[in-house]
Amino acid sequence: KEKLFMRHILSTELEKIGGKKSDIKLLFPEHHLSHAASAFYPSPFDEAAILTIDGVGEWATTLIAHGKKNKIHVLRQLDFPHSLGLLYSAFTYYCGFKVNSGEYKLMGLAPYGDPDSEQTHNWETLIKTHLVDIRPDGSFLLNMDYFNYATGLTMCHEKRWEQLFGISQRSPETEVTQPYMNMALAIQRVTEEIVLLLAKTAASLTGSKYLTMAGGVALNCVANGKLLKQNIVEDIWIQPASGDAGGALGAAYAAHYIWNQQPRLTVNNPDAMQGAYLGPSFETSSIKRILKRFHAPYDEYSDFQKLCQDITNYLEQGLVIGWFQGRMEYGPRALGNRSILADARHPDTQKKLNLKIKYREGFRPFAPSVLEQDIADYFELDRPSPYMLLVADVCEKRKLALPQGYTQKTVWDRLYVLRSDIPAVTHVDYSARIQSVCPKTNERYFQLITAFKQKTGYGVIVNTSFNVRGEPIVCTPQDAYVCFMRTEMDILVVQDLVLKKNDQPEFKDSNDWRKTFMLD
C-alpha cells in the first residue's frame, strides 16, 4: 500500500514545509546496510567484521560485511524467508508471548528449562532435523512447511508443530509449565549455535580481529555472552539500539560516510555512542512546573553527594527508587537515566519488583549495574559491558549451593531459592545481564553506586527500566510521576528533586485520578 509510494509521499510533505522538489535528495539505504552502518561506524574499531541478524529487511535477513575506514563491503547475504529472527519469533509465538516484543521473555524463560532432560535434547534435535537445516558456515534453510509467516497471518502451522513437539500452543497469560521452559531452552541453544557459526564465518571471510553486530538478534545477550567466551575475535562491539530503531542511526551514518564519502572519525574510548544517552533532557524549572500542576511536594538538594547518601539509605532499607536523570537512553535498555533501582542483596527484591512495580511475569530476571572497576569482583567477565548486552555468570565465590530436590521444585519455588549474595540479579542458572558504569559516560549514576558501595561494601545495585509492563520507558518528568504514582514505588528522584510516596496527594476515586493526570 503506502510503502510503494513512500518517495512521492516524502517529497510532497517536504515541499509543504518549504523544500523545492528539485532540491530534495532522498536516500534509501537498505535495511541491513543501515544495521551494518549502525554497528561499524560508532564502534571503536577502524576495521572490523560486521554481522547483522534480524527478522527481515527488504529481503535480507542476515548479512556479513567488512568495514574498513569509511567503507562497508557486503560479503554474504541470506534472504527471506530463511530468517533466524523469525525462527526465534515463531517459538516466541508458540510459547504464548507476543511477537516482536516477547522474544526477551523467551530468552529469560530458557534458563528454567532442564538442560539434562530427554525432552529438551529431543526437541533440539527435532528443530535441527525438521525446522532448520544448519550449514557449517552458519547459513541455514527453514522448512517452510512448518511456517506460515511468508503467506499467512500467523507465525507457524500450529497443528504441524503440535504433531512434531507433542504439545499445543500455549495460550497467552496462562501458567508457564515445564515443557515450554524446555522448548525455550532448546531454541535458545539452536540460536546460539547459528550465531557462533556465523561469527566464525564473518571472522574468516574478513580476517579481522574485531566483530561488530546489530539487528534484533544481536539483542540476545545470552548468545552474545557465549560468543564472547569462544574467543573467535579479540573484541566485540554491539550496537545498543540493535533493533530497527537503530536503523535510523545507521541510515544517517551510511549517508554521511558512503554517499558523502566523509573521512571516518573513530572514537576509541569507549565508542561514539556517548553511553547511548542521546535522548531528550529537561531543565529543573520545567520539571518544577510539571510537579506543581500535580500538587506534588518534593525536597530539593543543592548537594548531589548528600542526595546519593540519602538514596543509598533508602535502598539499604529495601525501598524501590525511580531514578530520572539527564538525557534519555537510546535503545531498549534503561542504563541509569530512566531506571528503577533496588538493593541487589535483598532476597525479596525480585518478587517485589516484578509483582508490585513492573506488574509482569514473576520469572523475569533483573539486571545489575556494577561499577566498571568492580566487574570481576561479582561476575565472570573480563571487560566492560556498558550497554547491558552481555550475560555472564556470577563469580564462584558468590554462589550458594542449591538445596536437595531443587530441579523437582516448581518454577516459583526455584525462582526464590537464594543462589548468591546478590540474589536479586542472579538468574536461575547463576547468570546476570550486566551493565558496567563508569564516570565518563554517566557520572551521576556512578556517584550513586559509589555512595552505595561506601555504605554497604557492595558496588552493585538492581537496574530495571522505568516503566510498567506493556508501556514504553518513561521519557518526560510527567511520565515518571504518573508511573511512580500508579505503582508501589517508594521514592522518585527527578534530577535534584526527591519525592516520597507517602507525601503525595491522595485521590478519592478513579475519576479524580483521571482528571489530575489527563494533562495536555
Side-chain angles (χ1 to χ4, degrees), residues 409-432:
K409 292 178 179 289
T410 67
V411 59
W412 307 118
D413 289 336
R414 274 183 278 165
L415 177 61
Y416 300 120
V417 168
L418 295 184
R419 289 173 294 277
S420 77
D421 62 343
I422 44 173
V425 295
T426 305
H427 205 11
V428 291
D429 58 352
Y430 289 105
S431 69

PDB file of all heavy atoms in Angstrom, residues 409-432:
ATOM      1  N   LYS A 409      11.441 -28.858  42.092  1.00  0.00           N
ATOM      2  CA  LYS A 409      10.588 -27.789  42.595  1.00  0.00           C
ATOM      3  C   LYS A 409       9.834 -27.113  41.448  1.00  0.00           C
ATOM      4  O   LYS A 409      10.250 -27.174  40.293  1.00  0.00           O
ATOM      5  CB  LYS A 409      11.428 -26.733  43.332  1.00  0.00           C
ATOM      6  CG  LYS A 409      12.041 -27.208  44.645  1.00  0.00           C
ATOM      7  CD  LYS A 409      12.888 -26.105  45.270  1.00  0.00           C
ATOM      8  CE  LYS A 409      13.490 -26.541  46.594  1.00  0.00           C
ATOM      9  NZ  LYS A 409      12.459 -26.643  47.639  1.00  0.00           N
ATOM     10  N   THR A 410       8.729 -26.445  41.768  1.00  0.00           N
ATOM     11  CA  THR A 410       8.003 -25.670  40.771  1.00  0.00           C
ATOM     12  C   THR A 410       8.856 -24.457  40.372  1.00  0.00           C
ATOM     13  O   THR A 410       9.806 -24.088  41.066  1.00  0.00           O
ATOM     14  CB  THR A 410       6.657 -25.175  41.318  1.00  0.00           C
ATOM     15  OG1 THR A 410       6.910 -24.207  42.361  1.00  0.00           O
ATOM     16  CG2 THR A 410       5.839 -26.323  41.872  1.00  0.00           C
ATOM     17  N   VAL A 411       8.472 -23.835  39.256  1.00  0.00           N
ATOM     18  CA  VAL A 411       9.238 -22.686  38.786  1.00  0.00           C
ATOM     19  C   VAL A 411       9.295 -21.591  39.837  1.00  0.00           C
ATOM     20  O   VAL A 411      10.326 -20.942  40.036  1.00  0.00           O
ATOM     21  CB  VAL A 411       8.641 -22.140  37.467  1.00  0.00           C
ATOM     22  CG1 VAL A 411       7.200 -21.720  37.639  1.00  0.00           C
ATOM     23  CG2 VAL A 411       9.466 -20.970  36.940  1.00  0.00           C
ATOM     24  N   TRP A 412       8.191 -21.377  40.578  1.00  0.00           N
ATOM     25  CA  TRP A 412       8.168 -20.287  41.556  1.00  0.00           C
ATOM     26  C   TRP A 412       9.033 -20.631  42.770  1.00  0.00           C
ATOM     27  O   TRP A 412       9.695 -19.759  43.331  1.00  0.00           O
ATOM     28  CB  TRP A 412       6.728 -19.999  41.972  1.00  0.00           C
ATOM     29  CG  TRP A 412       5.857 -19.759  40.778  1.00  0.00           C
ATOM     30  CD1 TRP A 412       4.778 -20.491  40.374  1.00  0.00           C
ATOM     31  CD2 TRP A 412       6.027 -18.733  39.787  1.00  0.00           C
ATOM     32  NE1 TRP A 412       4.265 -19.985  39.207  1.00  0.00           N
ATOM     33  CE2 TRP A 412       4.999 -18.902  38.830  1.00  0.00           C
ATOM     34  CE3 TRP A 412       6.939 -17.692  39.620  1.00  0.00           C
ATOM     35  CZ2 TRP A 412       4.874 -18.076  37.724  1.00  0.00           C
ATOM     36  CZ3 TRP A 412       6.810 -16.863  38.520  1.00  0.00           C
ATOM     37  CH2 TRP A 412       5.793 -17.061  37.591  1.00  0.00           C
ATOM     38  N   ASP A 413       9.032 -21.906  43.159  1.00  0.00           N
ATOM     39  CA  ASP A 413       9.892 -22.306  44.276  1.00  0.00           C
ATOM     40  C   ASP A 413      11.365 -22.199  43.879  1.00  0.00           C
ATOM     41  O   ASP A 413      12.209 -21.801  44.681  1.00  0.00           O
ATOM     42  CB  ASP A 413       9.564 -23.734  44.714  1.00  0.00           C
ATOM     43  CG  ASP A 413       8.213 -23.825  45.417  1.00  0.00           C
ATOM     44  OD1 ASP A 413       7.778 -22.792  45.955  1.00  0.00           O
ATOM     45  OD2 ASP A 413       7.603 -24.910  45.397  1.00  0.00           O
ATOM     46  N   ARG A 414      11.670 -22.543  42.624  1.00  0.00           N
ATOM     47  CA  ARG A 414      13.061 -22.424  42.155  1.00  0.00           C
ATOM     48  C   ARG A 414      13.489 -20.965  42.074  1.00  0.00           C
ATOM     49  O   ARG A 414      14.620 -20.617  42.384  1.00  0.00           O
ATOM     50  CB  ARG A 414      13.199 -23.065  40.770  1.00  0.00           C
ATOM     51  CG  ARG A 414      13.468 -24.554  40.789  1.00  0.00           C
ATOM     52  CD  ARG A 414      13.649 -25.077  39.389  1.00  0.00           C
ATOM     53  NE  ARG A 414      12.375 -25.326  38.725  1.00  0.00           N
ATOM     54  CZ  ARG A 414      12.253 -25.504  37.419  1.00  0.00           C
ATOM     55  NH1 ARG A 414      13.303 -25.443  36.626  1.00  0.00           N
ATOM     56  NH2 ARG A 414      11.075 -25.747  36.886  1.00  0.00           N
ATOM     57  N   LEU A 415      12.551 -20.131  41.656  1.00  0.00           N
ATOM     58  CA  LEU A 415      12.863 -18.717  41.435  1.00  0.00           C
ATOM     59  C   LEU A 415      13.386 -18.047  42.695  1.00  0.00           C
ATOM     60  O   LEU A 415      14.313 -17.237  42.645  1.00  0.00           O
ATOM     61  CB  LEU A 415      11.603 -17.998  40.934  1.00  0.00           C
ATOM     62  CG  LEU A 415      11.705 -16.495  40.702  1.00  0.00           C
ATOM     63  CD1 LEU A 415      12.742 -16.181  39.639  1.00  0.00           C
ATOM     64  CD2 LEU A 415      10.348 -15.928  40.302  1.00  0.00           C
ATOM     65  N   TYR A 416      12.806 -18.399  43.844  1.00  0.00           N
ATOM     66  CA  TYR A 416      13.135 -17.675  45.060  1.00  0.00           C
ATOM     67  C   TYR A 416      14.117 -18.418  45.960  1.00  0.00           C
ATOM     68  O   TYR A 416      14.263 -18.074  47.134  1.00  0.00           O
ATOM     69  CB  TYR A 416      11.842 -17.320  45.799  1.00  0.00           C
ATOM     70  CG  TYR A 416      10.942 -16.454  44.939  1.00  0.00           C
ATOM     71  CD1 TYR A 416       9.668 -16.865  44.580  1.00  0.00           C
ATOM     72  CD2 TYR A 416      11.413 -15.238  44.439  1.00  0.00           C
ATOM     73  CE1 TYR A 416       8.865 -16.071  43.766  1.00  0.00           C
ATOM     74  CE2 TYR A 416      10.614 -14.445  43.629  1.00  0.00           C
ATOM     75  CZ  TYR A 416       9.349 -14.859  43.296  1.00  0.00           C
ATOM     76  OH  TYR A 416       8.573 -14.072  42.482  1.00  0.00           O
ATOM     77  N   VAL A 417      14.797 -19.419  45.404  1.00  0.00           N
ATOM     78  CA  VAL A 417      15.917 -20.039  46.118  1.00  0.00           C
ATOM     79  C   VAL A 417      17.119 -19.099  46.027  1.00  0.00           C
ATOM     80  O   VAL A 417      17.440 -18.569  44.960  1.00  0.00           O
ATOM     81  CB  VAL A 417      16.266 -21.409  45.499  1.00  0.00           C
ATOM     82  CG1 VAL A 417      17.612 -21.920  46.028  1.00  0.00           C
ATOM     83  CG2 VAL A 417      15.168 -22.423  45.792  1.00  0.00           C
ATOM     84  N   LEU A 418      17.789 -18.848  47.151  1.00  0.00           N
ATOM     85  CA  LEU A 418      18.955 -17.960  47.148  1.00  0.00           C
ATOM     86  C   LEU A 418      20.113 -18.659  46.458  1.00  0.00           C
ATOM     87  O   LEU A 418      20.511 -19.753  46.843  1.00  0.00           O
ATOM     88  CB  LEU A 418      19.329 -17.583  48.577  1.00  0.00           C
ATOM     89  CG  LEU A 418      18.309 -16.751  49.363  1.00  0.00           C
ATOM     90  CD1 LEU A 418      18.862 -16.377  50.727  1.00  0.00           C
ATOM     91  CD2 LEU A 418      17.917 -15.495  48.589  1.00  0.00           C
ATOM     92  N   ARG A 419      20.663 -18.005  45.433  1.00  0.00           N
ATOM     93  CA  ARG A 419      21.748 -18.609  44.662  1.00  0.00           C
ATOM     94  C   ARG A 419      23.077 -17.875  44.804  1.00  0.00           C
ATOM     95  O   ARG A 419      24.103 -18.336  44.340  1.00  0.00           O
ATOM     96  CB  ARG A 419      21.352 -18.671  43.184  1.00  0.00           C
ATOM     97  CG  ARG A 419      20.269 -19.687  42.905  1.00  0.00           C
ATOM     98  CD  ARG A 419      19.773 -19.601  41.476  1.00  0.00           C
ATOM     99  NE  ARG A 419      19.092 -18.343  41.226  1.00  0.00           N
ATOM    100  CZ  ARG A 419      17.809 -18.118  41.531  1.00  0.00           C
ATOM    101  NH1 ARG A 419      17.106 -19.072  42.099  1.00  0.00           N
ATOM    102  NH2 ARG A 419      17.254 -16.954  41.274  1.00  0.00           N
ATOM    103  N   SER A 420      23.041 -16.674  45.428  1.00  0.00           N
ATOM    104  CA  SER A 420      24.268 -15.903  45.627  1.00  0.00           C
ATOM    105  C   SER A 420      24.014 -14.842  46.683  1.00  0.00           C
ATOM    106  O   SER A 420      22.887 -14.711  47.189  1.00  0.00           O
ATOM    107  CB  SER A 420      24.717 -15.241  44.318  1.00  0.00           C
ATOM    108  OG  SER A 420      23.927 -14.098  44.046  1.00  0.00           O
ATOM    109  N   ASP A 421      25.040 -14.049  46.988  1.00  0.00           N
ATOM    110  CA  ASP A 421      24.844 -12.963  47.953  1.00  0.00           C
ATOM    111  C   ASP A 421      24.291 -11.707  47.283  1.00  0.00           C
ATOM    112  O   ASP A 421      24.092 -10.687  47.934  1.00  0.00           O
ATOM    113  CB  ASP A 421      26.155 -12.655  48.687  1.00  0.00           C
ATOM    114  CG  ASP A 421      27.257 -12.170  47.759  1.00  0.00           C
ATOM    115  OD1 ASP A 421      27.135 -12.374  46.522  1.00  0.00           O
ATOM    116  OD2 ASP A 421      28.248 -11.604  48.250  1.00  0.00           O
ATOM    117  N   ILE A 422      24.033 -11.782  45.959  1.00  0.00           N
ATOM    118  CA  ILE A 422      23.311 -10.714  45.242  1.00  0.00           C
ATOM    119  C   ILE A 422      22.135 -11.388  44.504  1.00  0.00           C
ATOM    120  O   ILE A 422      22.081 -11.420  43.276  1.00  0.00           O
ATOM    121  CB  ILE A 422      24.224  -9.935  44.272  1.00  0.00           C
ATOM    122  CG1 ILE A 422      25.133 -10.883  43.467  1.00  0.00           C
ATOM    123  CG2 ILE A 422      25.066  -8.928  45.025  1.00  0.00           C
ATOM    124  CD1 ILE A 422      25.934 -10.167  42.375  1.00  0.00           C
ATOM    125  N   PRO A 423      21.178 -11.939  45.269  1.00  0.00           N
ATOM    126  CA  PRO A 423      20.144 -12.799  44.687  1.00  0.00           C
ATOM    127  C   PRO A 423      19.222 -12.098  43.696  1.00  0.00           C
ATOM    128  O   PRO A 423      18.707 -12.735  42.781  1.00  0.00           O
ATOM    129  CB  PRO A 423      19.368 -13.286  45.911  1.00  0.00           C
ATOM    130  CG  PRO A 423      19.616 -12.255  46.966  1.00  0.00           C
ATOM    131  CD  PRO A 423      21.019 -11.795  46.731  1.00  0.00           C
ATOM    132  N   ALA A 424      19.004 -10.803  43.860  1.00  0.00           N
ATOM    133  CA  ALA A 424      18.039 -10.114  43.003  1.00  0.00           C
ATOM    134  C   ALA A 424      18.506 -10.005  41.559  1.00  0.00           C
ATOM    135  O   ALA A 424      17.696  -9.753  40.660  1.00  0.00           O
ATOM    136  CB  ALA A 424      17.747  -8.719  43.557  1.00  0.00           C
ATOM    137  N   VAL A 425      19.822 -10.182  41.318  1.00  0.00           N
ATOM    138  CA  VAL A 425      20.342 -10.079  39.952  1.00  0.00           C
ATOM    139  C   VAL A 425      20.977 -11.389  39.489  1.00  0.00           C
ATOM    140  O   VAL A 425      21.637 -11.434  38.462  1.00  0.00           O
ATOM    141  CB  VAL A 425      21.370  -8.932  39.828  1.00  0.00           C
ATOM    142  CG1 VAL A 425      20.694  -7.588  40.061  1.00  0.00           C
ATOM    143  CG2 VAL A 425      22.543  -9.118  40.774  1.00  0.00           C
ATOM    144  N   THR A 426      20.760 -12.467  40.240  1.00  0.00           N
ATOM    145  CA  THR A 426      21.314 -13.773  39.873  1.00  0.00           C
ATOM    146  C   THR A 426      20.182 -14.636  39.342  1.00  0.00           C
ATOM    147  O   THR A 426      19.280 -15.023  40.088  1.00  0.00           O
ATOM    148  CB  THR A 426      21.973 -14.455  41.084  1.00  0.00           C
ATOM    149  OG1 THR A 426      22.950 -13.571  41.641  1.00  0.00           O
ATOM    150  CG2 THR A 426      22.643 -15.758  40.668  1.00  0.00           C
ATOM    151  N   HIS A 427      20.231 -14.932  38.044  1.00  0.00           N
ATOM    152  CA  HIS A 427      19.164 -15.720  37.424  1.00  0.00           C
ATOM    153  C   HIS A 427      19.286 -17.186  37.869  1.00  0.00           C
ATOM    154  O   HIS A 427      20.259 -17.580  38.507  1.00  0.00           O
ATOM    155  CB  HIS A 427      19.263 -15.597  35.906  1.00  0.00           C
ATOM    156  CG  HIS A 427      17.965 -15.837  35.195  1.00  0.00           C
ATOM    157  ND1 HIS A 427      16.758 -15.913  35.848  1.00  0.00           N
ATOM    158  CD2 HIS A 427      17.675 -16.035  33.875  1.00  0.00           C
ATOM    159  CE1 HIS A 427      15.800 -16.129  34.974  1.00  0.00           C
ATOM    160  NE2 HIS A 427      16.319 -16.214  33.757  1.00  0.00           N
ATOM    161  N   VAL A 428      18.300 -18.001  37.503  1.00  0.00           N
ATOM    162  CA  VAL A 428      18.251 -19.378  37.992  1.00  0.00           C
ATOM    163  C   VAL A 428      19.438 -20.224  37.534  1.00  0.00           C
ATOM    164  O   VAL A 428      19.742 -21.252  38.137  1.00  0.00           O
ATOM    165  CB  VAL A 428      16.938 -20.070  37.585  1.00  0.00           C
ATOM    166  CG1 VAL A 428      15.772 -19.470  38.336  1.00  0.00           C
ATOM    167  CG2 VAL A 428      16.726 -20.001  36.078  1.00  0.00           C
ATOM    168  N   ASP A 429      20.124 -19.811  36.464  1.00  0.00           N
ATOM    169  CA  ASP A 429      21.310 -20.537  36.004  1.00  0.00           C
ATOM    170  C   ASP A 429      22.605 -19.842  36.448  1.00  0.00           C
ATOM    171  O   ASP A 429      23.660 -20.068  35.875  1.00  0.00           O
ATOM    172  CB  ASP A 429      21.295 -20.692  34.485  1.00  0.00           C
ATOM    173  CG  ASP A 429      21.240 -19.342  33.758  1.00  0.00           C
ATOM    174  OD1 ASP A 429      21.056 -18.299  34.440  1.00  0.00           O
ATOM    175  OD2 ASP A 429      21.379 -19.327  32.531  1.00  0.00           O
ATOM    176  N   TYR A 430      22.500 -18.986  37.467  1.00  0.00           N
ATOM    177  CA  TYR A 430      23.628 -18.237  38.041  1.00  0.00           C
ATOM    178  C   TYR A 430      24.144 -17.138  37.102  1.00  0.00           C
ATOM    179  O   TYR A 430      25.236 -16.614  37.302  1.00  0.00           O
ATOM    180  CB  TYR A 430      24.795 -19.162  38.414  1.00  0.00           C
ATOM    181  CG  TYR A 430      24.534 -20.041  39.609  1.00  0.00           C
ATOM    182  CD1 TYR A 430      24.261 -21.401  39.448  1.00  0.00           C
ATOM    183  CD2 TYR A 430      24.569 -19.538  40.899  1.00  0.00           C
ATOM    184  CE1 TYR A 430      24.020 -22.219  40.546  1.00  0.00           C
ATOM    185  CE2 TYR A 430      24.341 -20.345  42.004  1.00  0.00           C
ATOM    186  CZ  TYR A 430      24.068 -21.689  41.816  1.00  0.00           C
ATOM    187  OH  TYR A 430      23.827 -22.487  42.907  1.00  0.00           O
ATOM    188  N   SER A 431      23.385 -16.778  36.095  1.00  0.00           N
ATOM    189  CA  SER A 431      23.839 -15.756  35.153  1.00  0.00           C
ATOM    190  C   SER A 431      23.273 -14.387  35.508  1.00  0.00           C
ATOM    191  O   SER A 431      22.369 -14.263  36.327  1.00  0.00           O
ATOM    192  CB  SER A 431      23.423 -16.132  33.725  1.00  0.00           C
ATOM    193  OG  SER A 431      22.011 -16.046  33.585  1.00  0.00           O
ATOM    194  N   ALA A 432      23.823 -13.362  34.866  1.00  0.00           N
ATOM    195  CA  ALA A 432      23.342 -11.991  35.039  1.00  0.00           C
ATOM    196  C   ALA A 432      23.606 -11.206  33.761  1.00  0.00           C
ATOM    197  O   ALA A 432      24.626 -11.424  33.085  1.00  0.00           O
ATOM    198  CB  ALA A 432      24.035 -11.310  36.219  1.00  0.00           C
TER     199      ALA A 432
END
